[in-house]
Amino acid sequence: MKEHTQISKFLSLILRHKPEQIGLQLDQEGWAKIAELIEAAQQHNVPLDEALLQVIVEQNDKKRFQISEDGLMIRAVQGHSTNMVQRQMIALEPPQYLYHGTASRFIDSIQTQGLIAGQRHYVHLSENKETALNVGQRYGKPVLFLINTPQMYKNGFEFHQAENGVWLTIHVPTQYLSLIDQTKTGSLV
């Protein structure tokens, strides 16, 4: 439904990047009071209510949002760029294979400086090749990088997993990256 997509994009903007745009305050873990979010959204002509919010959270295919157990708060689970949010996440041992999908135009930059978080707090990685490729398609012709997570972890890099399954790390240096050649059924380049 088009309205749901627009509201989901609005929530991503507000809960991940620009809460100040509607005068919303997030806590350090990214939580906002649902009542305050709804009131602020309505003041900015965004038709939001609790029922619609619940549907969007439940139906979001990427599980980007989380409602607190008491039902009073909401947050984006990852992808933050606002300095209001500094989530304290538990470091976990990553799976053997993690992937990063991006557009082919970024290959040279990535092979020079590695994967960097940019404006976000973390680099986003996926356990699933298809998911990573879908992310890459949003930005152009997709390419896929394989991350040498066992070696990174052994060398002291921290990994975290958001509630929606996305793996997060601060930086992936070039020595831990391998470009996968999609034309040859996933072989390394």
Side-chain angles (χ1 to χ4, degrees):
M1 185 180 256
K2 186 177 179 181
E3 178 190 25
H4 289 188
T5 301
Q6 289 174 333
I7 298 290
S8 181
K9 287 181 179 183
F10 169 79
L11 290 174
S12 286
L13 174 70
I14 299 304
L15 297 175
R16 293 167 111 186
H17 309 296
K18 296 184 178 186
E20 69 280 358
Q21 189 167 313
I22 63 168
L24 189 67
Q25 186 71 31
L26 306 179
D27 72 12
Q28 184 173 334
E29 292 295 317
W31 293 108
K33 293 179 180 171
I34 289 175
E36 291 176 6
L37 170 64
I38 291 170
E39 182 180 339
Q42 290 175 352
Q43 288 176 359
H44 287 82
N45 299 316
V46 177
L48 189 60
D49 60 36
E50 283 191 47
L52 179 57
L53 192 62
Q54 189 71 38
V55 168
I56 289 170
V57 170
E58 289 174 4
Q59 293 181 356
N60 186 273
D61 60 337
K62 296 179 182 164
K63 303 295 180 201
R64 284 190 172 129
F65 312 109
Q66 178 183 22
I67 293 179
S68 62
E69 288 186 26
D70 63 8
L72 299 177
M73 310 277 276
I74 186 171
R75 72 175 171 189
V77 297
Q78 50 48 240
H80 300 95
S81 65
T82 177
N83 290 332
M84 279 186 201
V85 178
Q86 298 296 324
R87 289 201 57 197
Q88 300 299 310
M89 301 181 84
I90 297 169
L92 298 172
E93 184 172 352
Q96 183 172 0
Y97 299 108
L98 286 176
Y99 304 92
H100 181 80
T102 191
S104 59
R105 69 179 182 273
F106 299 125
I107 290 175
D108 291 342
S109 172
I110 291 170
Q111 290 179 327
T112 300
Q113 61 185 349
L115 295 173
I116 57 173
Q119 294 180 343
R120 294 186 180 184
H121 297 178
Y122 294 100
V123 173
H124 296 186
L125 306 171
S126 174
E127 289 183 65
N128 182 289
K129 285 182 188 181
E130 291 76 29
T131 299
L133 279 172
N134 287 337
V135 169
Q137 282 182 325
R138 294 187 308 192
Y139 305 105
K141 182 181 176 200
V143 294
L144 193 62
F145 283 91
L146 173 66
I147 316 304
N148 186 346
T149 53
Q151 192 62 50
M152 279 185 71
Y153 185 71
K154 180 180 172 185
N155 290 347
F157 286 84
E158 284 191 1
F159 290 84
H160 311 279
Q161 189 174 32
E163 290 79 0
N164 62 354
V166 173
W167 282 88
L168 309 167
T169 192
I170 299 292
H171 176 234
V172 180
T174 57
Q175 67 264 33
Y176 303 107
L177 291 168
S178 300
L179 181 62
I180 297 176
D181 184 352
Q182 295 300 303
T183 62
K184 296 180 183 173
T185 62
S187 63
L188 298 177
V189 176

